[in-house]
Amino acid sequence: IEKITEDTRAKFENRDAIDTFANANMITRFFVARNRDSAKSYEMWKNWLEWRIKEAPDHIPEESIHYELNSGKAFWFRHDKKGNPCLIVKVRNHFPKETTTEKTLLFGVYMLEKGLKLAEKAGTSKICVLWDRSGFDREKNFDSSISQLLRKMMKMLQEYYAEILDAMYVTHPNMFYKTIWAMTKPFLSARTRDKIRLIEDMNTLLQYFDPENLLVEHGGTAELESSMLVEQEITFDKERSIQNEEAEEEVFYDCLSHFETFGQEGSEEGDFTESHVDEEVKLRQKIKSMISKKTMFKQS
C-alpha cells in the first residue's frame, strides 16, 4: 500500500490522484484477485495504472458509441437487494451488421466505467449483470466475431476490472446452453461458479431483486422509460430455434478453452460464502485506514 501511494504521488503529485488511483476499493480488488500476495497485487495495480493512463477509459466520448448507446443492447437499471448497480444485457438487440467489434468493445469499456462510478456511489464496489437471452435470432443477432470479442472482454475484466462482478443472472437458458454450462463449470473456480446463476423462472429473480427494481419482463413491476434507450422491435420465430442453438454452439466451443483462465481470476479454489464477503469488507476498511494514515503522515 505504501509503494502504491508513493508511486501515485510521485507520478501525479496531487491528492486527487490518490483518491482516483490508490483508493481502498481498487486496492482491495487487486488483493483479493491475487490472494493477498503483495508483490502480485502491486504488479497488477501497476499494469492497471499504465493501461488507464494510455487508454483513458473514463474519457470515452459518447458520440463515438452513439449507436450502441441507443441500441438497447445494454444499459444500467437500478440495483439488486445488496445495492449493487445492475447492468441489463439484451442479446436480441445486438445487430453486428450495424456496428464493429472495436465499437462494441469500446461500448463495453464505457459501460464498465459507468458501473464503477455507480458502484462507488452506492458504496458496494460491486455490480451485477442480468444477461437476457430471450429472442436471440441467428440471422439478426449472431456475430461471427463474438469469440474474439468475448476473449478480449474476459482478459480486460481479469486485468483491469478484477473482482467487480458480484453476480451474473442468465435468463432463458435453453437445453444446449445448460449442457455447455455443465461442461464449462469444472474449468471454473468455485468462487466464480457461485457468481453465475441460470434463471429459468423469472420469479427466481425476486430472491435477488425487489419488484420495483426489476423490469416487468423479468418478473418485477418496473417500467423502462422510452427516453432511456431506443428499444428495437423483435419478432420471435420458433422455427429458427435449432439454427440459434447451432450459432451458440459455434461460439461456446470456440471460447471454452479460455474459460479456465478467466474463471480462476487469480483466486484459490474454495467455496464462496458470506464469510468471504465479510473478510473482503474488513480488508477494504483496513486498507482505507492505512491509506489515510500514510497520506496524513506525508502531509504533516
Side-chain angles (χ1 to χ4, degrees):
I1 293 172
E2 182 176 3
K3 189 169 180 56
I4 288 176
T5 54
E6 288 296 323
D7 284 5
T8 303
R9 186 179 291 105
K11 187 178 290 290
F12 298 100
E13 299 182 348
N14 65 73
R15 175 56 196 268
D16 290 341
I18 298 291
D19 296 333
T20 302
F21 299 112
N23 67 74
N25 287 337
M26 190 57 64
I27 295 177
T28 300
R29 291 192 189 105
F30 295 148
F31 264 62
V32 172
R34 293 296 178 263
N35 296 319
R36 304 193 185 195
D37 184 303
S38 296
K40 291 181 180 179
S41 299
Y42 171 73
E43 190 64 27
M44 187 178 189
W45 172 83
K46 188 171 69 172
N47 292 335
W48 167 82
L49 180 63
E50 292 175 354
W51 175 76
R52 292 196 70 85
I53 293 174
K54 179 182 178 181
E55 302 295 338
D58 53 339
H59 288 88
I60 296 174
E62 292 189 353
E63 55 267 25
S64 66
I65 51 171
H66 181 266
Y67 170 78
E68 281 72 19
L69 286 171
N70 290 280
S71 67
K73 69 175 72 175
F75 53 92
W76 291 97
F77 188 78
R78 302 189 184 176
H79 54 80
D80 63 13
K81 288 185 177 180
K82 296 180 182 179
N84 299 313
C86 181
L87 177 65
I88 297 179
V89 178
K90 293 188 176 184
V91 295
R92 67 175 181 261
N93 287 343
H94 175 59
F95 300 97
K97 295 179 182 179
E98 303 296 329
T99 187
T100 65
T101 301
E102 291 71 23
K103 285 192 174 182
T104 301
L105 185 62
L106 193 65
F107 175 60
V109 174
Y110 175 90
M111 296 304 286
L112 285 172
E113 285 295 311
K114 187 172 183 179
L116 273 176
K117 293 177 181 177
L118 290 172
E120 293 295 329
K121 185 177 181 180
T124 65
S125 78
K126 299 280 188 179
I127 65 169
C128 66
V129 176
L130 200 165
W131 190 276
D132 186 347
R133 297 184 59 261
S134 64
F136 173 83
D137 187 292
R138 177 186 173 89
E139 183 178 330
K140 296 179 180 179
N141 309 125
F142 179 65
D143 192 338
S144 60
S145 64
I146 193 67
S147 298
Q148 176 188 4
L149 178 63
L150 287 176
R151 286 197 294 269
K152 289 182 177 180
M153 284 300 297
M154 288 176 182
K155 185 175 185 295
M156 189 176 298
L157 283 168
Q158 272 187 282
E159 297 180 0
Y160 309 130
Y161 297 95
E163 298 297 326
I164 189 178
L165 181 66
D166 181 70
M168 180 174 178
Y169 308 96
V170 182
T171 71
H172 304 90
N174 56 19
M175 184 57 68
F176 176 79
Y177 189 97
K178 288 185 282 188
T179 300
I180 293 298
W181 172 239
M183 294 171 58
T184 303
K185 285 172 67 175
F187 292 97
L188 305 178
S189 68
R191 184 182 182 86
T192 300
R193 287 199 302 268
D194 196 60
K195 292 181 179 181
I196 302 174
R197 295 152 191 169
L198 304 189
I199 306 296
E200 299 185 67
D201 183 350
M202 293 299 103
N203 289 325
T204 304
L205 287 172
L206 294 175
Q207 297 178 24
Y208 312 105
F209 295 83
D210 291 322
E212 62 271 21
N213 292 322
L214 199 60
L215 291 174
V216 172
E217 63 185 287
H218 298 140
T221 60
E223 297 285 351
L224 187 63
E225 298 178 9
S226 58
S227 59
M228 291 182 62
L229 52 90
V230 177
E231 182 76 12
Q232 302 288 337
E233 289 294 328
I234 302 297
T235 56
F236 295 87
D237 187 348
K238 293 183 179 180
E239 294 181 0
R240 288 179 177 166
S241 60
I242 296 179
Q243 290 181 324
N244 293 343
E245 291 189 4
E246 290 176 348
E248 289 179 331
E249 181 175 7
E250 184 177 340
V251 172
F252 273 105
Y253 276 111
D254 191 37
C255 290
L256 190 59
S257 61
H258 299 273
F259 277 119
E260 182 174 6
T261 303
F262 172 63
Q264 297 302 326
E265 293 185 353
S267 302
E268 292 180 352
E269 181 72 20
D271 294 332
F272 184 64
T273 64
E274 289 299 323
S275 62
H276 286 78
V277 178
D278 293 337
E279 289 177 8
E280 187 170 331
V281 171
K282 292 177 181 178
L283 177 61
R284 186 182 302 115
Q285 292 173 342
K286 183 176 180 180
I287 290 175
K288 186 175 182 180
S289 175
M290 293 175 69
I291 292 174
S292 178
K293 290 179 180 179
K294 296 288 183 185
T295 305
M296 289 176 63
F297 176 77
K298 286 295 180 182
Q299 287 179 336
S300 63

